[in-house]
Structure formats: structure tokens, C-alpha cells
Amino acid sequence: MSFKDQSLRFNFMADKGNQKYHLVVSSLSCKMHLHLLPISLLLFLFLFAVIPRVVCEDDERFVSCGEEHECGNMNMKIGYPFWGGDRPEYCGHPGFELDCEGEAPEFTMNEASYKVLDINNSTNTVTVARADYWDSNCPSRYVTTTLDTSLFSYNSTSYSDLTIYYQCIVLISIPNQFNCSNNNTICYFTILSIDLGSVSPANCDLTVEIPIFESAANAIVRGGGKVDDLREALKEGFGLLWNASNNFCKECVESGGHCGYDNSQFVCYCRDGPSSASTCRNTTTTSSPDFFLGRISLREKQ
């Protein structure tokens, strides 16, 4: 048997008795009549057909980053830019690590922890609530909400600022008032038209600002400043827009890839491996039920 490689076109000479056969392999499609080929040639073709299937298996990171993983006891599914739990770090943005051990996914930003209540990948938005205000209006530490503006921004049309005043020394009682038993002090809160009345902020030692949904703020106003409405508003949380190479990720997904990061750089994971660009090459894979080699013809050598 003689063999010559001619850029995906192969010539074979096979002797079968007193006859010689000329085999031409070209393109990547078509069926063949296997019973007409010599055994040695069939063996070679079998091995050659298997190799492309092994080589063309999808990249491991492409597969891993294409899967959504559950995070937290609420079984919330997370994808890019988030990572944590069973989702590898390379499948997310370095600044979006989640703690998946509690009831809901959590992350820390500027000394405050946040519960993730909802993720909307189509709008690049996430609904969060302050973890330290989840069960109480009186946290152990008083921290105003501030954003890492390189990662998040507010949706300016959907939130209002809630202000809570702690450790106030006054004798005036107003509806938007509550007590903190951990330090036995009086506290007040204000939102929209709910104000302090005749109470002066100077009578309070600490102030905390927390954004809430505008709909929740309106509910507090309609209820006259009840503490129960305050607690409900804090649990509903507020919305954030994330910034995690959004445009690059959109281009990557539209080209058939999955987004991630490597060495602090955005990476588009493609079927054939990571791409240095934000898109994957436009590749297609075809196969036939007989062989992956394509058109194969067998004719008698003249």
C-alpha cells in the first residue's frame, strides 16, 4: 500500500489478488460501500475516522461555563458574571464572587453584605437586599450603602433613598419611629414625604442611607410611615445594573461562545478553546452516519 498526503486529498494503492484499486478521499461527506474495500484499508479508514471525533470534542471550559449552577438554599441558578460554589472562577468576573452557603447567594461590597434575590441576564440587572437588615432594623454595625461604581450602578428611575437615624435623644413620638433594644435607643426613618417633623437630625448620633424600590417607598407613604412597611421595603431590596464587560460578553454569546475571565482579562470560551477576541470563529461541524471522512470513491486502477 502506498500513501500520499495532498491536503485532505489522499491516494491509496491497494492490491487485491491480481487487481489494483485507486482510493480517492476528498471533502468531508458521503457514504461508502465498505464490503468492497480490502481489510487493511478498512482498518486504516476506521482509525482515521475516529481521530477527528476525539480532536473536535468541545473545550472543557466552554462546556463548564455554559452551565448554570445552583447557589444557595433557594436553588438560584447563576451564570456570568457571577461565580462561586460549584461554578468555577474562570466562568465569572473577578468582582462578582458569591457565597453560596446561606439561604440566598450573598456578596460583600464596601463593608456591607447583600443577598441576591433575582438575576436578570437579559437586562444585566440584579435585585439585592442588605443582609444585615434582613431580620432586623437594628444591625450590630451601622453602614451606609455605597456602590463599587466600577461594577454596579443604580437604575435611577426605580429607587428612592431611605434614611434611618439611630441613637436619637428626643421625647417626641411620631409614626416613623422604632426602638433598638440592642442599645436601648430611639430611631427614626424618612422617605419621600415622610419626614422627621419637629425632630432634629442633630438629636441623633448615627445616620444610615439605604436605597429601596420606589414602589416600596410609595407604600410606606400610603401607610403613614409604619414600621411594618419599613421592614417589608428593606426585604424587597433594590435593583442594580452590573458592568462586567457587557458589550464583549454580548458579542461572545452571539457568536456561540460563553463569557469568562482569565488573568483579569475578559475571555470568550469557544468550542475549540478560548478566543483572544470577544467572538468565536464561525465554525460548523458536519458528520455522516458512516464516516467522518467525507466523499470516498473506489475505482479499479487502470
Side-chain angles (χ1 to χ4, degrees), residues 101-112:
E101 297 300 321
E103 178 183 11
E106 292 189 17
F107 67 93
T108 300
M109 176 172 56
N110 295 342
E111 300 184 359

Side-chain angles (χ1 to χ4, degrees), residues 20-295:
K20 294 184 178 180
Y21 293 89
H22 179 68
L23 178 67
V24 179
V25 182
S26 63
S27 72
L28 293 177
S29 64
C30 238
K31 297 183 179 180
M32 55 187 288
H33 299 288
L34 300 180
H35 64 280
L36 299 178
L37 296 178
I39 294 177
S40 59
L41 188 54
L42 286 175
L43 178 61
F44 176 84
L45 291 176
F46 173 77
L47 294 175
F48 193 83
V50 171
I51 293 174
R53 299 181 185 273
V54 176
V55 173
C56 294
E57 286 184 354
D58 290 342
D59 180 78
E60 179 182 355
R61 288 161 294 183
F62 170 84
V63 175
S64 180
C65 295
E67 299 174 347
E68 290 187 327
H69 295 261
E70 292 184 351
C71 182
N73 296 332
M74 296 171 60
N75 297 326
M76 181 179 295
K77 294 186 179 298
I78 62 172
Y80 182 87
F82 300 100
W83 60 278
D86 293 332
R87 184 171 174 82
E89 182 176 358
Y90 58 76
C91 292
H93 185 288
F96 288 82
E97 180 182 7
L98 297 179
D99 181 354
C100 299
E101 297 300 321
E103 178 183 11
E106 292 189 17
F107 67 93
T108 300
M109 176 172 56
N110 295 342
E111 300 184 359
S113 294
Y114 299 85
K115 289 182 179 290
V116 177
L117 306 182
D118 183 66
I119 298 173
N120 190 327
N121 289 293
S122 63
T123 58
N124 298 330
T125 57
V126 58
T127 300
V128 301
R130 285 280 296 262
D132 49 348
Y133 281 86
W134 189 253
D135 295 317
S136 174
N137 302 331
C138 305
S140 58
R141 297 170 59 244
Y142 301 106
V143 179
T144 287
T145 298
T146 57
L147 301 185
D148 182 340
T149 54
S150 67
L151 303 177
F152 292 105
S153 61
Y154 291 117
N155 185 340
S156 60
T157 62
S158 65
Y159 81 98
S160 296
D161 279 324
L162 169 72
T163 304
I164 306 178
Y165 299 87
Y166 289 99
Q167 299 180 8
C168 303
I169 306 175
V170 291
L171 298 177
I172 302 172
S173 178
I174 56 177
N176 46 313
Q177 169 186 323
F178 61 93
N179 296 331
C180 281
S181 58
N182 57 349
N183 53 24
N184 195 28
T185 61
I186 299 175
C187 311
Y188 301 92
F189 65 93
T190 60
I191 186 72
L192 298 178
S193 61
I194 301 294
D195 56 31
L196 292 178
S198 58
V199 177
S200 171
N203 295 123
C204 305
D205 292 339
L206 299 168
T207 303
V208 172
E209 293 183 354
I210 302 175
I212 60 174
F213 281 120
E214 190 173 11
S215 57
N218 291 327
I220 293 176
V221 173
R222 289 194 301 268
K226 296 178 181 178
V227 176
D228 288 343
D229 293 332
L230 167 66
R231 291 171 180 161
E232 186 66 24
L234 290 171
K235 281 202 168 188
E236 289 182 14
F238 55 96
L240 294 174
L241 298 167
W242 73 64
N243 177 26
S245 302
N246 296 351
N247 291 335
F248 286 159
C249 188
K250 181 180 178 182
E251 293 174 354
C252 174
V253 172
E254 289 177 349
S255 71
H258 300 303
C259 308
Y261 260 72
D262 185 36
N263 293 325
S264 300
Q265 297 292 324
F266 177 83
V267 174
C268 184
Y269 294 110
C270 308
R271 291 185 181 277
D272 56 353
S275 171
S276 57
S278 60
T279 58
C280 297
R281 294 189 298 272
N282 186 18
T283 58
T284 57
T285 302
T286 59
S287 62
S288 77
D290 293 287
F291 274 88
F292 207 68
L293 290 175
R295 191 180 64 191

